[in-house]
Amino acid sequence: NPLVAGTSEPDERVLEAALRPKNLHDFVGQQRVREQLSLVLEAARIRERTSDHVLLSGPPGLGKTTLAMIVAAEMNAPLRISSGPAIQHAGDLAAILSSLAEGEVLFLDEIHRMSRPAEEMLYMAMEDFRVDIVVGKGAGATAIPLELPPFTLVGATTRAGLLPGPLRDRFGFTGHLEFYSISELELVLRRSAMLMDLKVNSAGFTEIASRSRGTPRIANRLLRRVRDWALVHRNEHIDATLASRALDMYEVDARGLDRLDRSVLHALCTKFGGGPVGLSTLAIAVGEETETVETVAEPFLVREGLLGRTPRGRIAMPDAWIHLGLTPPEDMPL
Ligand code: ADP
């Protein structure tokens, strides 16, 4: 068991993989998506066909990869994993597609970051299970059609809006993953703690869950940090006090904001007077990629009512000033 100490210490990736639920039943929360997906898969099984292509959208760490693995498991099909950034040429995609087995599930993470020519090849592959391989250059170039075995594409993107319309339209089913509630995160943590053989009381679970940014991956990561703290301090029983001490040390605040979240809010309030300011300007101010700020930090800050999106740019909400211990400007509409 890679999760219990004593065996050779696994790295974090191994731990993360071991904590992944293997079927829809163990997959916590996202009830709507789970029900819809289960229907799509059941119908495919009855028709004895491959399932429709599935698009999953939502911030990182909410379970897109896990769901892709579950789709393959439920369809009893092999799974191939790749990602948009790894597919820079149409040829890269052709190589993957032409080696798929019949019924295989192809998971493409960050599908919005695929190159344009690869994307165009994917349209045809998704629709007709066929690609045109172009041989030669210029006037002498010829397209050789290649039949593909039927497969199911599971695409993942941090925002469905980043995808061009023609690609979005070719998915038979789109599931939007939402941030998890604290009680759902407690369930994720309970399951992980059991697998990791940790003793955590229910106040301890609540403390970790409320600092997890609505995200299972973060919940599991914080649980491991709390476990480390408990281990070093020779404390076998994890409660709320221990969890909050450990997490304060890792700069995760009581509301779950991490360093990037706080620096975005801090820049917004102190450098731009609370906004409105354009997203890319804000990203430069915190030294991050625009896409990271937009897809990683912003959705959570908006949900928490700390940041607002307006046509003129991003603004700090009154709560943001209060949370950072700053005084909001006098004319701030409350
Ligand atoms: P994404 O692909 O959206 O970035 P992942 O599927 O890799 O997210 O999930 C990250 C981690 O969070 C996984 O290791 C998994 O253990 C955990 N996880 C995600 N969603 C759930 C869920 N609904 N129930 C239990 N654990 C989950």
Side-chain angles (χ1 to χ4, degrees), residues 16-17 19-21 26-29 59-67 180 188 191 216-217 220:
E16 185 170 295
L19 293 177
R20 267 182 215 288
D26 285 350
F27 192 86
V28 174
L62 296 195
K64 300 181 292 298
T65 310
T66 307
L67 278 177
Y180 292 68
V188 172
R191 180 174 170 275
R217 175 182 291 136
N220 284 336

Side-chain angles (χ1 to χ4, degrees), residues 5-6 8-9 11 18-20 24 46 55 57 61 99 163 175 187 190 241 305 325:
S8 62
E9 189 54 29
D11 72 5
L19 293 177
R20 267 182 215 288
L24 276 181
I46 294 172
L55 179 65
S57 75
S99 66
L163 239 55
L187 289 177
R190 274 178 197 281
T241 315

Side-chain angles (χ1 to χ4, degrees), residues 316-334:
M317 303 299 275
D319 243 9
W321 299 85
I322 297 164
H323 186 71
L324 295 175
L326 300 168
T327 316
E330 301 255 311
D331 57 352
M332 176 110 219
L334 288 173

Side-chain angles (χ1 to χ4, degrees), residues 20 37 115 140 144 181 207 224 252-253 260 280:
R20 267 182 215 288
L37 193 57
S115 74
I144 304 175
S181 69
E207 184 65 33
R224 295 195 291 267
V252 176
D253 71 25
L260 175 64
S280 47

Side-chain angles (χ1 to χ4, degrees), residues 24 81 100 130-131 156 241-242:
L24 276 181
I81 298 183
L100 289 177
R130 192 165 68 84
V131 289
T241 315
L242 186 149

Side-chain angles (χ1 to χ4, degrees), residues 41-74:
L41 298 180
E42 186 60 34
R45 273 195 296 259
I46 294 172
R47 283 166 38 232
E48 296 183 15
R49 298 279 290 277
T50 55
S51 147
D52 261 351
H53 304 303
V54 173
L55 179 65
L56 300 170
S57 75
L62 296 195
K64 300 181 292 298
T65 310
T66 307
L67 278 177
M69 292 176 166
I70 291 175
V71 167
E74 302 257 330

